[in-house]
Amino acid sequence: MCNNYANHIPPAELFEIFSESRFPLRFPDGTPNLEPTDDIRPTDAAPAILPAGDHSILVRMKWGLLPSQPKRPPVINMRSEGRRFERGRCLVPASSFFEFTGEKYPKTRWRFRRTDGDWFCFAGFQNGGEDARFTLLTVDPGPDIAPTHDRQPVVLARADWDRWLAGEDGLLAPSPAGTWTVTEAPRETKGSLI
């Protein structure tokens, strides 16, 4: 399951894409300064898109719901099966995500990018409130992801973003074959780039 992803999407591009949607995007605190990053990890603050009446808003939230039991890690991925998510839906924009294979450290890191080169949105759930946090929803893996992991984050088709924010069901599914290009992506070492 996803525990690391990248976001290189300029805020202006988010705004432009969502301007044509049922929930046009607004920035409640002005246009955010989102630095491109290959390394969003659990507990990092990251952009999320929330429905807000007749529009949507882009906010920064921490990745990982607080656990229900002490000394447990944050819930960064949540199984979607058997749940309806009648409230708390969000979209989490990303450029790529990573999965890891191997038994020993350092594990092999694999980058998943859309084959068409587009950025995408994960289906997310957020808890709201003062300490709002989000988690990524997961399903059984599609054929591109199955060789590296037994689960995958739900990546919604662009046509389904509005439907997800509006509360429609039946959208949480594995990615079809050919959606992802998978490449090995070793972590950056001092003095080199990925």
Coordinates of all heavy atoms in Angstrom, one line a residue, residues 34-129:
L34 N 2.9 25.6 -3.3 CA 3.2 24.2 -3.2 C 4.5 23.9 -3.9 O 4.5 23.9 -5.1 CB 2.0 23.4 -3.7 CG 0.6 23.6 -3.1 CD1 -0.4 22.9 -3.8 CD2 0.7 23.2 -1.6
E35 N 5.5 23.6 -3.1 CA 6.8 23.2 -3.7 C 6.7 21.8 -4.3 O 6.1 20.9 -3.7 CB 7.9 23.3 -2.7 CG 8.2 24.7 -2.2 CD 8.8 25.5 -3.3 OE1 9.6 25.0 -4.1 OE2 8.5 26.7 -3.3
P36 N 7.2 21.6 -5.5 CA 7.2 20.2 -6.0 C 8.0 19.3 -5.1 O 9.1 19.7 -4.6 CB 7.9 20.3 -7.4 CG 8.0 21.8 -7.7 CD 7.8 22.5 -6.4
T37 N 7.5 18.1 -4.9 CA 8.2 17.1 -4.1 C 8.0 15.7 -4.5 O 6.9 15.4 -5.0 CB 7.8 17.3 -2.6 OG1 8.6 16.3 -1.8 CG2 6.3 17.0 -2.4
D38 N 9.1 14.9 -4.4 CA 9.0 13.5 -4.7 C 8.8 12.7 -3.4 O 8.9 11.5 -3.5 CB 10.3 13.0 -5.4 CG 10.2 13.0 -6.9 OD1 9.1 12.9 -7.4 OD2 11.3 13.1 -7.5
D39 N 8.7 13.4 -2.3 CA 8.8 12.6 -1.1 C 7.7 13.1 0.0 O 8.1 13.6 1.0 CB 10.2 12.8 -0.5 CG 10.6 11.7 0.4 OD1 10.0 10.6 0.3 OD2 11.6 11.9 1.2
I40 N 6.5 12.8 -0.3 CA 5.4 13.0 0.7 C 5.3 11.7 1.5 O 5.0 10.7 0.9 CB 4.1 13.5 0.1 CG1 4.3 14.8 -0.7 CG2 3.0 13.6 1.1 CD1 3.1 15.2 -1.5
R41 N 5.5 11.8 2.8 CA 5.5 10.6 3.6 C 4.4 10.7 4.7 O 3.9 11.8 4.9 CB 6.8 10.4 4.3 CG 8.0 10.2 3.4 CD 9.2 10.0 4.1 NE 10.4 10.0 3.2 CZ 11.6 9.6 3.6 NH1 11.8 9.3 4.9 NH2 12.6 9.6 2.8
P42 N 4.0 9.6 5.3 CA 3.0 9.7 6.4 C 3.4 10.7 7.4 O 4.6 10.9 7.8 CB 3.1 8.3 7.0 CG 3.5 7.4 5.8 CD 4.5 8.2 5.0
T43 N 2.4 11.4 7.9 CA 2.4 12.5 8.9 C 2.8 13.8 8.3 O 2.7 14.9 8.9 CB 3.2 12.2 10.2 OG1 4.6 12.3 9.9 CG2 2.8 10.9 10.8
D44 N 3.3 13.9 7.0 CA 3.6 15.1 6.3 C 2.3 15.8 6.0 O 1.2 15.2 5.8 CB 4.3 14.9 5.0 CG 5.7 14.5 5.1 OD1 6.3 14.6 6.2 OD2 6.4 14.1 4.1
A45 N 2.3 17.2 6.0 CA 1.2 18.0 5.5 C 1.2 18.0 4.0 O 2.2 18.2 3.4 CB 1.2 19.4 6.0
A46 N 0.0 17.7 3.4 CA 0.0 17.6 1.9 C -1.4 18.2 1.4 O -2.3 18.3 2.2 CB 0.1 16.2 1.5
P47 N -1.5 18.6 0.2 CA -2.7 19.2 -0.4 C -3.8 18.1 -0.5 O -3.6 17.0 -0.9 CB -2.3 19.7 -1.7 CG -0.9 19.5 -1.9 CD -0.4 18.7 -0.8
A48 N -5.0 18.5 -0.1 CA -6.2 17.7 -0.3 C -7.3 18.6 -0.8 O -7.4 19.8 -0.4 CB -6.6 17.0 1.0
I49 N -8.2 18.1 -1.6 CA -9.3 18.8 -2.1 C -10.6 18.3 -1.5 O -10.9 17.1 -1.5 CB -9.4 18.7 -3.6 CG1 -8.1 19.3 -4.3 CG2 -10.7 19.4 -4.2 CD1 -7.9 18.9 -5.7
L50 N -11.4 19.3 -0.8 CA -12.6 18.9 -0.1 C -13.8 19.6 -0.7 O -13.7 20.7 -1.2 CB -12.5 19.4 1.4 CG -11.2 19.2 2.1 CD1 -11.3 19.8 3.5 CD2 -10.9 17.7 2.2
P51 N -14.9 18.9 -0.7 CA -16.1 19.6 -1.2 C -16.6 20.6 -0.1 O -16.4 20.4 1.1 CB -17.2 18.4 -1.3 CG -16.7 17.4 -0.3 CD -15.2 17.6 -0.2
A52 N -17.1 21.7 -0.6 CA -17.5 22.8 0.3 C -18.8 23.5 -0.4 O -18.7 24.6 -0.9 CB -16.4 23.8 0.5
G53 N -19.9 22.8 -0.3 CA -21.1 23.3 -0.9 C -21.1 23.2 -2.4 O -20.9 22.2 -3.0
D54 N -21.1 24.4 -3.1 CA -21.1 24.4 -4.6 C -19.8 24.5 -5.2 O -19.6 24.8 -6.4 CB -22.0 25.5 -5.1 CG -21.5 26.9 -4.7 OD1 -20.6 27.0 -3.9 OD2 -22.1 27.9 -5.2
H55 N -18.7 24.4 -4.4 CA -17.3 24.5 -4.9 C -16.5 23.5 -4.1 O -17.0 22.8 -3.2 CB -16.8 25.9 -4.8 CG -16.7 26.5 -3.4 ND1 -17.9 27.0 -2.7 CD2 -15.7 26.5 -2.5 CE1 -17.5 27.3 -1.5 NE2 -16.2 27.1 -1.3
S56 N -15.2 23.5 -4.4 CA -14.3 22.7 -3.6 C -13.1 23.6 -3.1 O -13.0 24.7 -3.6 CB -13.7 21.5 -4.4 OG -13.0 22.0 -5.5
I57 N -12.4 23.2 -2.1 CA -11.3 24.0 -1.5 C -10.1 23.1 -1.4 O -10.2 21.9 -1.2 CB -11.7 24.6 -0.2 CG1 -12.0 23.5 0.9 CG2 -12.8 25.6 -0.3 CD1 -12.2 24.0 2.3
L58 N -8.9 23.7 -1.6 CA -7.7 23.1 -1.5 C -7.1 23.5 -0.1 O -6.9 24.6 0.2 CB -6.7 23.5 -2.6 CG -5.3 22.8 -2.5 CD1 -5.4 21.4 -3.1 CD2 -4.3 23.6 -3.3
V59 N -6.8 22.5 0.7 CA -6.3 22.7 2.0 C -5.1 21.8 2.2 O -4.9 20.8 1.5 CB -7.3 22.4 3.2 CG1 -8.5 23.4 3.0 CG2 -7.8 21.0 3.2
R60 N -4.2 22.1 3.2 CA -3.1 21.2 3.6 C -3.5 20.5 4.8 O -4.0 21.1 5.8 CB -1.8 22.0 3.8 CG -1.3 22.6 2.5 CD -0.1 23.5 2.8 NE 1.1 22.8 3.3 CZ 2.0 22.1 2.6 NH1 1.9 22.1 1.3 NH2 3.0 21.5 3.2
M61 N -3.4 19.2 4.8 CA -3.7 18.3 5.9 C -2.6 17.3 6.1 O -1.9 17.0 5.2 CB -5.0 17.5 5.6 CG -6.2 18.4 5.2 SD -7.6 17.4 4.6 CE -8.2 16.8 6.2
K62 N -2.5 16.8 7.4 CA -1.6 15.7 7.6 C -2.1 14.4 7.1 O -3.3 14.1 7.2 CB -1.3 15.6 9.1 CG -0.4 16.7 9.7 CD 0.0 16.5 11.1 CE 0.9 17.6 11.6 NZ 1.2 17.4 13.0
W63 N -1.1 13.6 6.5 CA -1.5 12.3 6.0 C -1.4 11.3 7.1 O -0.3 11.0 7.7 CB -0.5 12.0 4.9 CG -0.7 10.6 4.2 CD1 -1.8 9.9 4.3 CD2 0.2 9.9 3.4 NE1 -1.6 8.7 3.6 CE2 -0.4 8.7 3.0 CE3 1.5 10.2 3.0 CZ2 0.2 7.8 2.2 CZ3 2.1 9.3 2.2 CH2 1.5 8.1 1.8
G64 N -2.5 10.7 7.5 CA -2.6 9.7 8.5 C -3.5 10.0 9.6 O -3.3 11.0 10.3
L65 N -4.7 9.3 9.6 CA -5.6 9.5 10.7 C -5.0 9.0 12.0 O -4.2 8.0 12.1 CB -6.9 8.7 10.5 CG -7.6 9.0 9.1 CD1 -8.8 8.1 9.0 CD2 -8.0 10.4 9.0
L66 N -5.3 9.7 13.1 CA -4.8 9.3 14.4 C -5.4 7.9 14.7 O -6.6 7.7 14.5 CB -5.2 10.3 15.5 CG -4.5 11.6 15.3 CD1 -5.0 12.6 16.4 CD2 -3.0 11.5 15.4
P67 N -4.6 7.0 15.3 CA -5.1 5.6 15.6 C -6.1 5.7 16.8 O -6.1 6.5 17.6 CB -3.8 4.9 16.0 CG -2.9 5.9 16.4 CD -3.2 7.2 15.7
S68 N -7.0 4.6 16.8 CA -7.9 4.6 17.9 C -7.3 4.0 19.2 O -7.8 4.1 20.2 CB -9.1 3.7 17.5 OG -8.7 2.4 17.1
Q69 N -6.1 3.4 19.0 CA -5.4 2.8 20.2 C -4.1 3.5 20.3 O -3.4 3.7 19.3 CB -5.3 1.3 20.0 CG -6.6 0.5 19.9 CD -6.3 -0.9 19.6 OE1 -5.2 -1.4 19.5 NE2 -7.4 -1.7 19.5
P70 N -3.7 3.7 21.6 CA -2.4 4.4 21.8 C -1.2 3.5 21.3 O -1.3 2.3 21.2 CB -2.3 4.6 23.3 CG -3.5 3.9 23.9 CD -4.4 3.4 22.8
K71 N -0.1 4.1 20.9 CA 1.1 3.5 20.5 C 0.9 2.8 19.1 O 1.8 2.0 18.8 CB 1.6 2.5 21.5 CG 2.0 3.2 22.8 CD 2.6 2.3 23.8 CE 3.0 3.0 25.1 NZ 3.6 2.1 26.1
R72 N -0.2 3.0 18.4 CA -0.4 2.5 17.1 C 0.1 3.5 16.1 O -0.1 4.7 16.4 CB -1.8 2.1 16.9 CG -2.4 1.0 17.8 CD -1.9 -0.4 17.5 NE -2.1 -0.7 16.1 CZ -2.6 -1.8 15.7 NH1 -3.0 -2.7 16.5 NH2 -2.8 -2.1 14.4
P73 N 0.5 3.1 14.9 CA 0.9 4.1 13.9 C -0.4 4.8 13.3 O -1.5 4.3 13.4 CB 1.6 3.3 12.8 CG 1.1 1.9 13.0 CD 0.7 1.8 14.4
P74 N -0.2 6.0 12.7 CA -1.3 6.6 12.0 C -1.9 5.7 10.9 O -1.1 4.9 10.3 CB -0.7 7.9 11.4 CG 0.6 8.1 12.0 CD 1.1 6.7 12.5
V75 N -3.2 5.9 10.6 CA -3.8 5.1 9.6 C -3.6 5.9 8.2 O -4.3 6.8 8.0 CB -5.3 4.9 9.9 CG1 -6.0 4.1 8.8 CG2 -5.5 4.2 11.2
I76 N -2.6 5.4 7.4 CA -2.3 6.1 6.2 C -3.1 5.5 5.0 O -3.3 6.2 4.0 CB -0.8 6.1 5.9 CG1 -0.3 4.7 5.8 CG2 -0.1 6.9 7.0 CD1 1.2 4.7 5.3
N77 N -3.5 4.3 5.1 CA -4.3 3.6 4.1 C -5.4 2.9 4.8 O -5.2 2.3 5.8 CB -3.4 2.5 3.4 CG -2.3 3.1 2.6 OD1 -2.5 3.8 1.6 ND2 -1.1 2.9 3.1
M78 N -6.6 2.9 4.2 CA -7.8 2.3 4.8 C -8.5 1.5 3.7 O -8.7 1.9 2.6 CB -8.8 3.4 5.2 CG -10.1 2.9 5.8 SD -11.2 4.3 6.2 CE -10.4 5.0 7.7
R79 N -8.8 0.3 4.1 CA -9.6 -0.6 3.2 C -10.9 0.0 2.9 O -11.6 0.5 3.8 CB -9.8 -2.0 3.8 CG -8.5 -2.8 3.9 CD -8.8 -4.2 4.5 NE -7.6 -5.0 4.3 CZ -7.4 -5.9 3.3 NH1 -8.3 -6.0 2.4 NH2 -6.3 -6.6 3.2
S80 N -11.3 0.0 1.6 CA -12.6 0.6 1.3 C -13.7 -0.4 1.2 O -14.9 0.0 1.3 CB -12.4 1.3 -0.1 OG -12.2 0.3 -1.1
E81 N -13.4 -1.7 1.1 CA -14.5 -2.7 1.0 C -15.4 -2.6 2.2 O -15.0 -2.5 3.4 CB -13.9 -4.1 0.9 CG -13.1 -4.3 -0.3 CD -11.7 -3.9 -0.3 OE1 -11.2 -3.3 0.7 OE2 -10.9 -4.3 -1.2
G82 N -16.8 -2.6 1.9 CA -17.8 -2.6 2.9 C -18.1 -1.3 3.6 O -18.8 -1.2 4.5
R83 N -17.5 -0.2 3.0 CA -17.7 1.1 3.6 C -18.3 2.0 2.5 O -18.1 1.9 1.4 CB -16.4 1.7 4.0 CG -15.7 1.0 5.2 CD -14.5 1.7 5.6 NE -14.0 1.3 6.9 CZ -13.0 0.5 7.1 NH1 -12.2 0.1 6.1 NH2 -12.6 0.2 8.4
R84 N -19.1 3.0 3.0 CA -19.8 3.9 2.1 C -19.3 5.3 2.0 O -19.5 6.0 1.0 CB -21.3 3.9 2.4 CG -22.0 2.6 2.3 CD -23.3 2.4 1.7 NE -23.7 3.5 0.8 CZ -24.9 4.0 0.8 NH1 -25.8 3.6 1.7 NH2 -25.2 4.9 -0.1
F85 N -18.6 5.7 3.0 CA -18.0 7.0 3.1 C -19.1 8.1 2.7 O -18.9 8.9 1.8 CB -16.8 7.1 2.1 CG -15.8 6.1 2.5 CD1 -15.6 5.0 1.7 CD2 -15.0 6.3 3.6 CE1 -14.7 4.0 2.0 CE2 -14.0 5.3 3.9 CZ -13.9 4.2 3.1
E86 N -20.1 8.2 3.6 CA -21.2 9.2 3.3 C -20.7 10.6 3.7 O -21.4 11.5 3.3 CB -22.4 8.7 4.1 CG -23.0 7.5 3.6 CD -24.2 7.0 4.4 OE1 -24.7 7.7 5.3 OE2 -24.7 5.9 4.0
R87 N -19.7 10.7 4.5 CA -19.1 12.0 4.8 C -17.6 11.9 4.8 O -17.1 10.8 4.8 CB -19.6 12.5 6.1 CG -19.2 11.6 7.3 CD -19.5 12.1 8.7 NE -19.0 11.2 9.7 CZ -17.7 11.1 10.0 NH1 -16.8 11.8 9.4 NH2 -17.3 10.2 10.9
G88 N -16.9 13.0 4.7 CA -15.5 13.0 4.8 C -14.7 12.7 3.6 O -13.5 12.4 3.6
R89 N -15.3 12.7 2.4 CA -14.6 12.4 1.2 C -13.7 13.5 0.8 O -14.0 14.7 1.0 CB -15.6 12.1 0.0 CG -16.4 10.9 0.2 CD -17.4 10.7 -0.9 NE -18.2 9.5 -0.7 CZ -18.7 8.8 -1.7 NH1 -18.5 9.2 -3.0 NH2 -19.5 7.7 -1.5
C90 N -12.6 13.1 0.2 CA -11.6 14.2 -0.3 C -10.9 13.5 -1.5 O -10.9 12.3 -1.7 CB -10.7 14.7 0.7 SG -9.5 13.4 1.4
L91 N -10.2 14.4 -2.3 CA -9.3 14.0 -3.3 C -7.9 14.4 -2.9 O -7.7 15.5 -2.4 CB -9.7 14.7 -4.6 CG -11.0 14.4 -5.2 CD1 -11.4 15.4 -6.4 CD2 -11.1 12.9 -5.8
V92 N -6.9 13.5 -3.2 CA -5.6 13.8 -2.9 C -4.8 13.8 -4.2 O -4.5 12.8 -4.8 CB -5.0 12.8 -1.9 CG1 -3.5 13.1 -1.6 CG2 -5.8 12.7 -0.6
P93 N -4.4 15.0 -4.7 CA -3.7 15.1 -6.0 C -2.2 14.6 -5.9 O -1.6 14.8 -4.8 CB -3.7 16.6 -6.3 CG -4.1 17.3 -5.1 CD -4.7 16.3 -4.1
A94 N -1.8 13.9 -6.9 CA -0.4 13.3 -6.9 C 0.1 13.2 -8.4 O -0.7 13.1 -9.3 CB -0.4 11.9 -6.3
S95 N 1.4 13.1 -8.5 CA 2.0 13.0 -9.8 C 2.5 11.5 -10.0 O 2.6 11.0 -11.1 CB 3.3 13.9 -9.9 OG 2.9 15.2 -9.7
S96 N 2.9 10.9 -8.9 CA 3.3 9.5 -8.9 C 3.2 8.9 -7.5 O 3.1 9.7 -6.6 CB 4.7 9.3 -9.5 OG 5.6 10.0 -8.7
F97 N 3.3 7.6 -7.4 CA 3.4 7.0 -6.0 C 4.4 5.9 -6.1 O 4.8 5.4 -7.2 CB 2.0 6.6 -5.5 CG 1.4 5.4 -6.2 CD1 1.5 4.1 -5.7 CD2 0.6 5.6 -7.3 CE1 0.9 3.1 -6.3 CE2 0.0 4.5 -7.9 CZ 0.1 3.3 -7.4
F98 N 4.8 5.4 -4.9 CA 5.8 4.4 -4.8 C 5.3 3.2 -4.0 O 4.5 3.3 -3.1 CB 7.0 5.0 -4.1 CG 7.6 6.2 -4.7 CD1 7.1 7.5 -4.3 CD2 8.5 6.2 -5.8 CE1 7.6 8.6 -4.9 CE2 9.0 7.3 -6.4 CZ 8.5 8.5 -6.0
E99 N 5.9 2.0 -4.4 CA 5.7 0.8 -3.6 C 7.1 0.2 -3.4 O 8.0 0.5 -4.2 CB 4.8 -0.2 -4.4 CG 3.4 0.2 -4.5 CD 2.6 0.3 -3.2 OE1 3.1 0.0 -2.2 OE2 1.4 0.7 -3.3
F100 N 7.2 -0.6 -2.4 CA 8.5 -1.2 -2.1 C 8.4 -2.7 -2.1 O 7.4 -3.3 -1.6 CB 8.9 -0.7 -0.7 CG 9.1 0.8 -0.6 CD1 8.1 1.7 -0.4 CD2 10.4 1.3 -0.7 CE1 8.2 3.0 -0.4 CE2 10.6 2.7 -0.7 CZ 9.5 3.6 -0.5
T101 N 9.5 -3.4 -2.5 CA 9.5 -4.8 -2.5 C 10.8 -5.3 -1.9 O 11.8 -4.5 -1.8 CB 9.4 -5.4 -3.9 OG1 10.5 -5.0 -4.7 CG2 8.1 -5.1 -4.6
G102 N 10.8 -6.5 -1.4 CA 12.0 -7.0 -0.8 C 11.8 -7.2 0.7 O 11.0 -6.6 1.4
E103 N 12.6 -8.1 1.3 CA 12.5 -8.5 2.7 C 13.5 -7.7 3.6 O 13.2 -7.4 4.7 CB 12.8 -10.0 2.9 CG 11.8 -10.9 2.2 CD 10.3 -10.6 2.7 OE1 10.2 -10.5 3.9 OE2 9.4 -10.6 1.9
K104 N 14.6 -7.3 3.0 CA 15.7 -6.6 3.8 C 15.9 -5.2 3.3 O 15.6 -4.8 2.2 CB 17.0 -7.4 3.6 CG 16.9 -8.8 4.2 CD 18.3 -9.5 4.0 CE 18.2 -10.9 4.6 NZ 19.5 -11.6 4.5
Y105 N 16.3 -4.4 4.2 CA 16.7 -3.0 3.9 C 18.0 -2.9 3.2 O 18.9 -3.7 3.5 CB 16.7 -2.2 5.2 CG 17.0 -0.7 5.0 CD1 15.9 0.1 4.7 CD2 18.2 -0.2 5.0 CE1 16.1 1.5 4.4 CE2 18.5 1.2 4.8 CZ 17.4 2.0 4.5 OH 17.6 3.3 4.2
P106 N 18.2 -2.1 2.2 CA 17.1 -1.2 1.6 C 16.2 -2.0 0.6 O 16.7 -2.8 -0.2 CB 17.9 -0.2 0.9 CG 19.2 -0.9 0.5 CD 19.5 -1.9 1.6
K107 N 15.0 -1.8 0.8 CA 14.0 -2.4 -0.1 C 14.1 -1.7 -1.5 O 14.5 -0.6 -1.6 CB 12.6 -2.4 0.4 CG 12.4 -3.2 1.7 CD 11.0 -3.1 2.2 CE 10.9 -4.1 3.4 NZ 9.5 -4.2 3.8
T108 N 13.6 -2.5 -2.5 CA 13.5 -1.9 -3.9 C 12.3 -1.0 -4.0 O 11.2 -1.4 -3.6 CB 13.5 -3.0 -4.9 OG1 14.6 -3.9 -4.8 CG2 13.5 -2.4 -6.3
R109 N 12.5 0.2 -4.4 CA 11.5 1.2 -4.5 C 11.0 1.3 -6.0 O 11.9 1.5 -6.9 CB 12.0 2.6 -4.0 CG 11.1 3.7 -4.0 CD 11.9 4.9 -3.4 NE 11.0 6.1 -3.2 CZ 11.3 7.3 -3.6 NH1 12.3 7.5 -4.4 NH2 10.5 8.3 -3.4
W110 N 9.7 1.3 -6.2 CA 9.2 1.3 -7.6 C 8.3 2.5 -7.7 O 7.4 2.8 -6.8 CB 8.3 0.1 -7.8 CG 9.1 -1.2 -7.7 CD1 9.2 -2.0 -6.6 CD2 10.0 -1.8 -8.7 NE1 10.1 -3.0 -6.9 CE2 10.6 -2.9 -8.1 CE3 10.3 -1.4 -10.0 CZ2 11.4 -3.7 -8.9 CZ3 11.2 -2.2 -10.7 CH2 11.7 -3.4 -10.1
R111 N 8.4 3.3 -8.8 CA 7.6 4.5 -9.0 C 6.5 4.1 -10.0 O 6.8 3.5 -11.0 CB 8.4 5.6 -9.6 CG 7.6 6.9 -9.9 CD 8.4 7.9 -10.7 NE 9.6 8.3 -10.1 CZ 9.7 9.4 -9.3 NH1 8.7 10.1 -9.1 NH2 10.9 9.6 -8.8
F112 N 5.3 4.5 -9.7 CA 4.1 4.3 -10.5 C 3.7 5.6 -11.1 O 3.3 6.5 -10.3 CB 3.0 3.6 -9.7 CG 3.2 2.2 -9.4 CD1 4.1 1.9 -8.3 CD2 2.6 1.2 -10.1 CE1 4.3 0.6 -8.0 CE2 2.9 -0.1 -9.8 CZ 3.7 -0.4 -8.7
R113 N 3.8 5.8 -12.4 CA 3.3 7.0 -13.1 C 2.2 6.6 -14.1 O 2.3 5.5 -14.7 CB 4.4 7.7 -13.9 CG 5.4 8.4 -13.0 CD 6.4 9.2 -13.9 NE 7.3 9.9 -13.1 CZ 8.6 10.0 -13.3 NH1 9.1 9.4 -14.3 NH2 9.3 10.7 -12.5
R114 N 1.2 7.5 -14.3 CA 0.2 7.2 -15.3 C 0.9 7.0 -16.6 O 1.8 7.8 -17.0 CB -0.8 8.2 -15.3 CG -1.8 8.2 -14.1 CD -3.0 9.1 -14.3 NE -3.6 9.0 -15.6 CZ -4.7 8.3 -15.8 NH1 -5.3 7.7 -14.8 NH2 -5.2 8.1 -17.0
T115 N 0.5 6.0 -17.4 CA 1.1 5.8 -18.7 C 0.9 7.0 -19.7 O 1.7 7.3 -20.5 CB 0.4 4.5 -19.3 OG1 0.7 3.4 -18.4 CG2 1.0 4.2 -20.7
D116 N -0.3 7.7 -19.5 CA -0.6 8.9 -20.3 C 0.2 10.1 -19.8 O 0.1 11.2 -20.5 CB -2.1 9.1 -20.4 CG -2.7 9.4 -19.1 OD1 -2.0 9.7 -18.1 OD2 -4.0 9.4 -19.0
G117 N 0.9 10.0 -18.7 CA 1.7 11.2 -18.2 C 0.9 12.1 -17.4 O 1.5 13.1 -16.8
D118 N -0.4 12.0 -17.3 CA -1.2 12.9 -16.5 C -1.0 12.7 -15.0 O -0.7 11.6 -14.5 CB -2.7 12.7 -16.7 CG -3.2 13.4 -18.0 OD1 -2.4 14.2 -18.6 OD2 -4.3 13.0 -18.5
W119 N -1.2 13.8 -14.2 CA -1.3 13.6 -12.8 C -2.7 13.1 -12.4 O -3.5 13.0 -13.3 CB -1.0 14.9 -12.1 CG -1.8 16.1 -12.5 CD1 -1.5 17.0 -13.5 CD2 -3.0 16.6 -11.9 NE1 -2.4 18.0 -13.5 CE2 -3.4 17.8 -12.6 CE3 -3.9 16.1 -10.9 CZ2 -4.6 18.5 -12.3 CZ3 -5.0 16.8 -10.6 CH2 -5.4 18.0 -11.3
F120 N -3.0 12.8 -11.2 CA -4.2 12.1 -10.8 C -4.6 12.4 -9.4 O -3.9 13.2 -8.8 CB -4.0 10.5 -11.0 CG -2.8 10.0 -10.2 CD1 -2.9 9.6 -8.9 CD2 -1.5 10.0 -10.8 CE1 -1.8 9.2 -8.2 CE2 -0.4 9.5 -10.1 CZ -0.6 9.1 -8.8
C121 N -5.7 11.9 -9.0 CA -6.2 12.1 -7.6 C -6.5 10.7 -7.0 O -7.2 9.9 -7.6 CB -7.4 13.0 -7.6 SG -7.1 14.7 -7.9
F122 N -6.0 10.5 -5.8 CA -6.4 9.4 -5.0 C -7.8 9.7 -4.4 O -8.1 10.8 -4.1 CB -5.4 9.2 -3.8 CG -4.0 8.8 -4.1 CD1 -3.0 9.7 -3.9 CD2 -3.7 7.6 -4.7 CE1 -1.7 9.4 -4.1 CE2 -2.4 7.3 -5.0 CZ -1.4 8.2 -4.7
A123 N -8.6 8.6 -4.2 CA -9.8 8.8 -3.4 C -9.3 8.8 -1.9 O -8.6 7.8 -1.5 CB -10.7 7.6 -3.6
G124 N -9.7 9.8 -1.2 CA -9.3 9.9 0.2 C -10.5 10.1 1.1 O -11.6 10.3 0.7
F125 N -10.2 9.9 2.4 CA -11.2 10.1 3.5 C -10.5 11.0 4.5 O -9.4 10.8 4.9 CB -11.6 8.8 4.1 CG -12.4 8.9 5.4 CD1 -13.8 9.3 5.3 CD2 -11.8 8.8 6.6 CE1 -14.5 9.4 6.5 CE2 -12.6 9.0 7.8 CZ -13.9 9.3 7.7
Q126 N -11.3 12.0 4.9 CA -10.7 12.9 6.0 C -11.6 13.0 7.1 O -12.8 12.9 7.0 CB -10.4 14.3 5.3 CG -11.5 15.0 4.6 CD -12.3 15.9 5.5 OE1 -11.9 16.3 6.6 NE2 -13.5 16.2 5.1
N127 N -11.0 13.2 8.3 CA -11.8 13.2 9.5 C -12.4 14.5 10.0 O -13.2 14.6 10.9 CB -11.0 12.6 10.7 CG -9.8 13.5 11.0 OD1 -9.4 14.4 10.3 ND2 -9.1 13.2 12.1
G128 N -12.1 15.6 9.3 CA -12.6 17.0 9.6 C -12.1 17.4 11.0 O -11.2 16.8 11.6
G129 N -12.7 18.5 11.5 CA -12.4 19.0 12.8 C -11.1 19.9 12.7 O -10.5 20.2 11.7

